[in-house]
Amino acid sequence: MENNASAAGVTHGGLFNTAEIKILICYILNAVNEPVPANMLVNVLHYEGIANAFEVSDAIISLTQSGHIAQHDNVEDTYVITNSGKEVSETLKTSLSYTVKDRACAATVKMLSKFKNAKDTEITTVRENGNLYIVCSLIENGRPFMSIKLLITDDAQASSIKERFLENPAEVYKTLIDMITK
C-alpha cells in the first residue's frame, strides 16, 4: 500500500505508513469487538500521537469502501469489522509494534467507556437564584434514576466534574449507595 501518511501530530513510534494505519484500525475493531464511532477512533489515534487525524479519517473511508469495515449505525457513525477485516487483522497484526497496538486499544476502550457512559447519563448546568449548579443524572429506560446536584463556581468546574462523572458514573452511584445505606 501507499506510504503517504502525514507526520503532523504523530509522535516518535507512531505510524507514518497508510497501510499500517489501516491494519491498526482493523486490529482495534477486531480487538474491541463492538461498534466504534469514527470520530472517536480518529481522535484517539491522533491524541495518542499514534497517527495523523486526516490519515485516520481517510483510512476509515478506504477500509469501508474495500469492505474491511462497515458502518454499523448511521446516526452515531459507528463502525464494525467485517470478516475480511478480521482476516487482515489476524494476518498482519504482527507487522505493528506491541506498544502501538496496546496503547491504541487501551485508549479506544477508555473512550468507548466514556461514549457508553454518556449515553446512560444526562449532565446539565442550571442557574437558580443567582447560583450555578451542575446536575449529573444516571438514566435508565429514558428516565433519571439518580441525580446529583452540586453548587459550582463556573463553567470550567462544570467541565471538570462532567469529565470525572463520565469516567465512571456507576462507581459514583455505587459509592453513594454504599455511603447512605451503611
Side-chain angles (χ1 to χ4, degrees):
M1 287 191 184
E2 307 155 17
N3 188 9
N4 63 355
S6 173
V10 181
T11 61
H12 180 70
L15 303 180
F16 299 96
N17 181 292
T18 302
E20 289 177 334
I21 294 169
K22 291 178 182 179
I23 294 166
L24 181 62
I25 291 169
C26 288
Y27 179 83
I28 290 168
L29 292 177
N30 193 34
V32 298
N33 198 29
E34 60 183 282
V36 176
N39 67 335
M40 188 200 77
L41 191 56
V42 169
N43 289 337
V44 163
L45 295 180
H46 176 73
Y47 292 130
E48 288 293 316
I50 295 170
N52 175 277
F54 298 110
E55 293 295 332
V56 175
S57 293
D58 288 346
I60 290 170
I61 292 167
S62 178
L63 287 167
T64 304
Q65 291 171 344
S66 67
H68 292 98
I69 66 174
Q71 191 170 47
H72 176 74
D73 184 325
N74 189 34
V75 174
E76 293 183 340
D77 195 30
T78 55
Y79 289 80
V80 294
I81 188 120
T82 63
N83 287 334
S84 65
K86 287 180 182 182
E87 289 176 19
V88 166
S89 172
E90 290 301 318
T91 304
L92 300 175
K93 69 182 176 187
T94 56
S95 66
L96 302 174
S97 78
Y98 173 79
T99 305
V100 166
K101 292 184 294 190
D102 187 53
R103 239 177 57 216
C105 282
T108 302
V109 167
K110 185 176 180 179
M111 289 294 285
L112 267 177
S113 177
K114 281 188 176 184
F115 175 72
K116 288 180 201 172
N117 289 343
K119 290 169 65 174
D120 296 333
T121 61
E122 183 177 284
I123 302 172
T124 58
T125 53
V126 294
R127 285 207 180 273
E128 293 177 4
N129 301 324
N131 294 315
L132 184 62
Y133 295 91
I134 186 167
V135 180
C136 302
S137 301
L138 293 171
I139 307 298
E140 188 171 305
N141 297 324
R143 297 186 336 200
F145 71 90
M146 181 192 84
S147 294
I148 299 171
K149 183 177 180 180
L150 301 168
L151 177 65
I152 57 174
T153 57
D154 56 25
D155 289 332
Q157 188 178 29
S159 179
S160 175
I161 291 169
K162 177 180 178 178
E163 284 299 310
R164 293 293 307 264
F165 186 75
L166 286 177
E167 283 178 12
N168 197 346
E171 182 65 24
V172 173
Y173 174 74
K174 179 188 174 303
T175 302
L176 184 61
I177 294 298
D178 285 349
M179 290 181 72
I180 62 176
T181 59
K182 287 185 179 178

